Amino acid sequence: LMRFFSSMSRYLAEAHVQALQFDEAEKLCRKALEIHREHSAPASLEEASDRRLMALILDAKGDYDGALEHLVLASMTMVANGRDIEVATIDVSIGNTYLALARFDESVFSYQKALTVLKSARGDDHPTVASVYVRLADLYHRTGRLRESKSYCENALRVYAKPAPGAAPDEIAGGLMEIAAIYEALGDLDEALKLLQRALKLLEDSPGQWSTVAGIEAQMGVLYYMVGRYADSRNSFESAVGKLRASGERKSAFFGVLLNQMGLACVQLFKIDEAAQLFEEARAVLEQECGASHPDTLGVYSNLAAIYDAMGRVEDAIEILEHVLKVREEKLGTANPDVEDEKKRLAELLKEAGRSRNRKQKSLENLFVTNSQRAKKEAGRRWSNFGFRS
């Protein structure tokens, strides 16, 4: 009966983890561990499983020391039961935790220990081996050892080029995405794009992978933007946005950020009206998901001010920028560089409008429902000196 209650607590905890409800998940997982301590034999495999779940929960909450403690205890249990593969998998998690704690030497030791076991048990060409190469590449990149980082990336790519039979496409695609992120950080954007294109080809026809594909397309959109391929950037963002709309994920902070990025690509293509619509939708999503004072929301407000200025809607731009500046002053202080930047932008618009700063802003809600059609005849291609925020 106690084992049944323990299993139920674990299943409920896993459900809360899936829903990102980590406090509730932690309570249930602790309950399961208490049942093990009182009613189960020492070092049971069920207890080790629950400790790994607890480590996942604590890691998500930022309690890395607590997560490490549970991982070490789970590893000891698996060693006692002769579960070498599980021990290696836990060692990877221990390495990740040491990395989060900036204990780099211990992280390397854990990864290398796992790598030795996985190579012996599964072969040099198994995706789990490649995944450890990726972890080491990330660690060495973070510690500035770029030659070692790139070498481990190349080792992983050799595995992904000819993986062992039965390797899951989503596992390979995930590894390619992580390596692409490292190459992006190293400044090799073309290679990062090639890797993302490979990942996209692996998943684009897979059922149930729309969200992951949208994430790949979004990252490709960012990279295309960075290399100046703005039409490709806009098309990638448009495809990602369409998938998220179709899958019902249009009410998330990620979706709002994605709309903002697509708007920036449209700005570069001089698609003013489309950019304005995207910024307005991004503003609505981020206000709902993050709040009106969140940095991402404020960035969209700044972009709206810029696009309204480009459309000739100077008064609307001023009202938005005054709100942004007020919030930034309250949160960052008047001497912050971002505040100074906003002040300069606002001063230019006020000078153009022939008036001084208004400390009593109109309601942003009233401002955003103004008729956006009224300024289109004035729009032309007039761009202000202040920039857009990604």
Side-chain angles (χ1 to χ4, degrees):
L1 184 60
M2 289 298 103
R3 178 174 290 183
F4 170 76
F5 284 128
S6 172
S7 297
M8 286 301 297
S9 295
R10 178 168 64 251
Y11 295 147
L12 288 170
E14 289 172 347
H16 282 294
V17 168
Q18 291 293 327
L20 305 182
Q21 297 168 343
F22 298 114
D23 290 337
E24 289 300 318
E26 182 181 354
K27 291 176 186 176
L28 289 163
C29 202
R30 288 196 186 281
K31 182 64 177 176
L33 290 171
E34 288 173 9
I35 293 172
H36 288 306
R37 185 169 58 250
E38 295 175 6
H39 301 281
S40 299
S44 68
L45 293 175
E46 292 84 359
E47 180 182 346
S49 178
D50 287 343
R51 289 197 181 279
R52 294 175 72 177
L53 177 59
M54 178 62 83
L56 176 65
I57 294 166
L58 295 178
D59 182 90
K61 295 179 69 174
D63 182 1
Y64 302 118
D65 288 312
L68 185 61
E69 178 184 348
H70 285 283
L71 286 170
V72 170
L73 290 171
S75 179
M76 291 169 62
T77 297
M78 291 300 181
V79 169
N81 284 275
R83 302 294 186 95
D84 292 345
I85 295 295
E86 286 84 350
V87 172
T89 303
I90 295 172
D91 280 336
V92 173
S93 297
I94 290 174
N96 294 340
T97 307
Y98 278 135
L99 182 57
L101 290 166
R103 294 165 61 174
F104 301 120
D105 290 341
E106 291 159 296
S107 182
V108 169
F109 176 78
S110 294
Y111 288 146
Q112 291 288 5
K113 183 181 169 187
L115 191 61
T116 300
V117 173
L118 291 171
K119 279 184 172 183
S120 175
R122 292 181 170 173
D124 292 347
D125 59 349
H126 197 276
T128 55
V129 172
S131 70
V132 183
Y133 286 143
V134 175
R135 299 269 51 81
L136 284 162
D138 179 49
L139 185 153
Y140 284 125
H141 174 260
R142 294 193 195 193
T143 54
R145 296 169 64 177
L146 304 185
R147 181 177 297 176
E148 289 93 334
S149 176
K150 195 162 186 179
S151 176
Y152 277 111
C153 284
E154 290 167 353
N155 287 342
L157 289 172
R158 277 193 288 271
V159 176
Y160 291 138
K162 295 182 178 180
D170 57 339
E171 188 176 3
I172 297 173
L176 292 172
M177 291 168 66
E178 291 187 86
I179 298 172
I182 295 172
Y183 274 109
E184 178 185 345
L186 292 170
D188 193 344
L189 304 186
D190 290 334
E191 185 62 28
L193 272 169
K194 290 176 184 176
L195 292 171
L196 290 173
Q197 287 164 348
R198 283 174 59 186
L200 186 63
K201 183 174 263 188
L202 283 169
L203 295 180
E204 58 187 356
D205 295 325
S206 300
Q209 296 288 346
W210 272 28
S211 293
T212 304
V213 170
I216 296 172
E217 290 174 332
Q219 187 58 26
M220 290 176 65
V222 171
L223 292 178
Y224 281 135
Y225 188 93
M226 292 172 68
V227 299
R229 294 170 60 178
Y230 301 119
D232 289 331
S233 176
R234 181 202 166 279
N235 292 340
S236 288
F237 285 133
E238 183 178 40
S239 182
V241 165
K243 287 181 175 64
L244 292 176
R245 287 192 198 279
S247 60
E249 297 183 35
R250 65 180 69 189
K251 292 183 179 179
S252 68
F254 173 66
F255 186 69
V257 170
L258 193 56
L259 290 168
N260 181 60
Q261 293 297 126
M262 185 175 170
L264 292 172
C266 289
V267 167
Q268 296 294 337
L269 295 168
F270 295 97
K271 295 179 179 290
I272 298 179
D273 292 344
E274 184 178 349
Q277 291 171 4
L278 289 164
F279 291 145
E280 286 167 351
E281 186 178 0
R283 182 269 311 172
V285 172
L286 290 173
E287 279 183 344
Q288 178 68 33
E289 298 301 316
C290 304
S293 299
H294 190 275
D296 287 342
T297 313
L298 292 176
V300 175
Y301 285 157
S302 293
N303 290 343
L304 269 172
I307 206 71
Y308 285 163
D309 177 33
M311 297 172 74
R313 295 171 59 176
V314 177
E315 291 297 328
D316 289 348
I318 288 171
E319 294 293 343
I320 297 172
L321 209 52
E322 283 180 332
H323 168 79
V324 171
L325 184 54
K326 180 176 181 293
V327 175
R328 291 198 192 280
E329 285 176 339
E330 292 172 351
K331 287 184 170 290
L332 303 176
T334 56
N336 186 276
D338 284 344
V339 174
E340 286 298 316
D341 186 43
E342 300 289 7
K343 281 183 179 178
K344 290 177 182 177
R345 296 176 177 184
L346 180 58
E348 291 172 3
L349 287 179
L350 290 171
K351 182 178 179 181
E352 184 177 339
R355 65 179 180 84
S356 60
R357 181 179 174 186
N358 177 20
R359 297 278 176 171
K360 295 182 180 179
Q361 296 89 29
K362 297 177 183 176
S363 164
L364 275 181
E365 182 179 355
N366 291 335
L367 170 63
F368 286 129
V369 298
T370 56
N371 182 0
S372 63
Q373 301 297 320
R374 65 184 171 86
K376 288 188 177 179
K377 290 183 180 179
E378 307 171 25
R381 297 299 182 207
R382 189 176 63 86
W383 298 102
S384 62
N385 290 328
F386 61 88
F388 292 81
R389 293 180 180 269
S390 62

